[in-house]
Amino acid sequence: KVSLVNTDGKVYLTYLDRSLFKKSPSCEINVAFPIVHGTNCEDGTLAGFLEFLRLPYVGCDVLSAAIGMDKAKFKTILEKENIPVLPCITFSSRQWADNQSDIKSDIEAKVGYPLIVKPINLGSSVGISKVENEQELFDAVNLACSFSENLLIEKAITKLREINCSVLGDSDNCSASVLEEPIMSDKILSYSDKYLSNSKNQGSKGMASLSREIPANLSKNKTAEIQLLAEKTFRAIGASGVCRIDFLVDTENDDTVYVNEANTIPGSLSFYLWEASGMPYRKLIDELISLAFKRDRKTGNLMYTIKTNILSNANLSGAKGSKGKL
């Protein structure tokens, strides 16, 4: 077990072995790579802990990470920026338990089958189901409720292509990678597709093991359209570092493009997309570290405390406090 401690402006990783005759070793940490998926990591919680320590870190800050994890808030922000997303219905597990009939009717009237059921604040395709009928709806909602208190329902695109694009940079400047088209083995791109494919006897290689086509077989105009939307999405949520923006292409309706989600800590850091874009892995890591220190320099110039005593002029002699007599 270890602990991170800020001592005199420096952050140290200290082992928690406090035995009487053994000195606990420690080392100074200069920058952190919070490359951990899921709740309390990718949702901004870990970023907040690192900011509390004043430790420079790679990737999105607290707010942009939280937005990227919350699919409903993410859609709301993109809609305000005129970035295309599929309309959705959201509700809590408690609302579902109390009023299943009305919510089901609302879903069928406003969304219709087929549809997708998603936990609002999970990634890696966990708890996501494609639904074709009423019975599947109940099963899918119950599954999603076991992962998240809040759910999202959106229309399923019948003839779909999934396209991914990585974006690297910050609010000052960002650029998009080449595009990829993941190869799905199921109705949706599953957790198994993303993390378990081609990993037998080799250990998981994460998203790097996924079957894909790079670059995606798209026209120059469609490629440019998706890359531009990826950069706009990155800026809209205030992202930093490297993200992967996932898109849905409706091939049945003029190849209309929708932003699906943002992965603020993408599997394998999307290095394979940047290598295909001409950026070696070492250079990608150098750029991520540079962006982390750039943000730290910016925040280091901000004022967080004011040296003043707000009670110096307060009247503490009565219940009315500093307001005095009326």
Side-chain angles (χ1 to χ4, degrees):
K1 293 183 178 181
V2 298
S3 177
L4 292 171
V5 180
N6 187 316
T7 303
D8 298 326
K10 295 183 179 180
V11 178
Y12 296 89
L13 184 149
T14 303
Y15 288 84
L16 298 180
D17 184 353
R18 300 297 184 183
S19 59
L20 182 62
F21 300 104
K22 185 176 181 181
K23 184 178 180 181
S24 177
S26 64
C27 61
E28 183 182 351
I29 304 297
N30 303 111
V31 63
F33 272 79
I35 45 176
V36 191
H37 295 304
T39 305
N40 293 329
C41 299
E42 200 170 358
D43 57 6
T45 307
L46 183 55
F49 175 61
L50 297 173
E51 288 192 9
F52 179 78
L53 289 168
R54 291 290 301 146
L55 176 62
Y57 63 92
V58 168
C60 288
D61 63 11
V62 177
L63 181 59
S64 56
I67 292 170
M69 188 63 117
D70 190 307
K71 296 177 176 65
K73 300 293 189 297
F74 175 75
K75 282 176 174 285
T76 298
I77 289 173
L78 264 57
E79 284 177 336
K80 290 183 178 297
E81 296 293 328
N82 294 316
I83 297 173
V85 294
L86 288 169
C88 67
I89 292 176
T90 61
F91 54 90
S92 68
S93 56
R94 180 57 183 269
Q95 289 172 324
W96 176 255
D98 290 343
N99 202 4
Q100 289 187 11
S101 179
D102 286 350
I103 293 176
K104 181 182 79 71
S105 297
D106 197 34
I107 291 170
E108 291 174 340
K110 295 180 179 179
V111 178
Y113 302 109
L115 55 83
I116 303 291
V117 178
K118 301 179 179 181
I120 275 182
N121 56 358
L122 283 178
S124 300
S125 300
V126 174
I128 295 179
S129 305
K130 185 176 181 181
V131 171
E132 303 284 352
N133 53 56
E134 180 179 314
Q135 182 55 53
E136 290 183 1
L137 174 63
F138 283 93
D139 293 340
V141 169
N142 290 334
L143 172 65
C145 284
S146 67
F147 290 104
S148 177
E149 183 180 350
N150 298 296
L151 278 61
L152 179 147
I153 308 285
E154 66 185 15
K155 183 69 177 177
I157 298 175
T158 304
K159 294 186 178 180
L160 167 70
R161 293 180 70 182
E162 292 198 34
I163 303 295
N164 300 336
C165 179
S166 182
V167 181
L168 174 66
D170 58 14
S171 57
D172 294 331
N173 185 49
C174 65
S175 58
S177 71
V178 299
L179 308 184
E180 66 166 333
E181 182 171 8
I183 308 302
M184 300 180 289
S185 63
D186 204 346
K187 293 182 288 186
I188 58 173
L189 191 62
S190 67
Y191 180 92
S192 178
D193 286 328
K194 290 180 178 180
Y195 299 107
L196 302 180
S197 60
N198 301 325
S199 63
K200 186 176 181 180
N201 300 324
Q202 300 177 30
S204 173
K205 297 180 181 178
M207 284 291 290
S209 68
L210 179 67
S211 298
R212 56 170 56 84
E213 185 173 14
I214 302 177
N217 184 19
L218 295 166
S219 68
K220 288 184 178 180
N221 288 342
K222 188 59 65 173
T223 296
E225 176 189 349
I226 292 174
Q227 288 174 325
L228 179 59
L229 285 173
E231 292 175 3
K232 286 183 176 180
T233 301
F234 187 90
R235 293 191 181 96
I237 66 172
S240 180
V242 64
C243 292
R244 193 187 75 244
I245 314 298
D246 297 349
F247 294 86
L248 307 174
V249 180
D250 188 349
T251 61
E252 201 169 29
N253 292 287
D254 300 321
D255 286 341
T256 303
V257 177
Y258 300 95
V259 176
N260 185 31
E261 63 180 1
N263 297 271
T264 55
I265 303 179
S268 306
L269 294 177
S270 293
F271 77 89
Y272 46 87
L273 288 175
W274 290 103
E275 286 185 340
S277 303
M279 179 179 289
Y281 183 68
R282 182 183 293 274
K283 186 176 180 181
L284 173 63
I285 297 301
D286 286 345
E287 182 64 22
L288 290 173
I289 293 173
S290 296
L291 288 166
F293 284 124
K294 176 185 175 182
R295 178 174 54 205
D296 186 64
R297 288 192 298 271
K298 282 185 174 181
T299 57
N301 291 327
L302 299 177
M303 183 178 295
Y304 292 98
T305 60
I306 301 175
K307 293 182 179 180
T308 183
N309 183 359
I310 63 173
L311 298 178
S312 60
N313 296 319
N315 177 8
L316 304 179
S317 61
K320 294 179 180 178
S322 61
K323 292 184 178 178
K325 296 181 178 180
L326 296 176

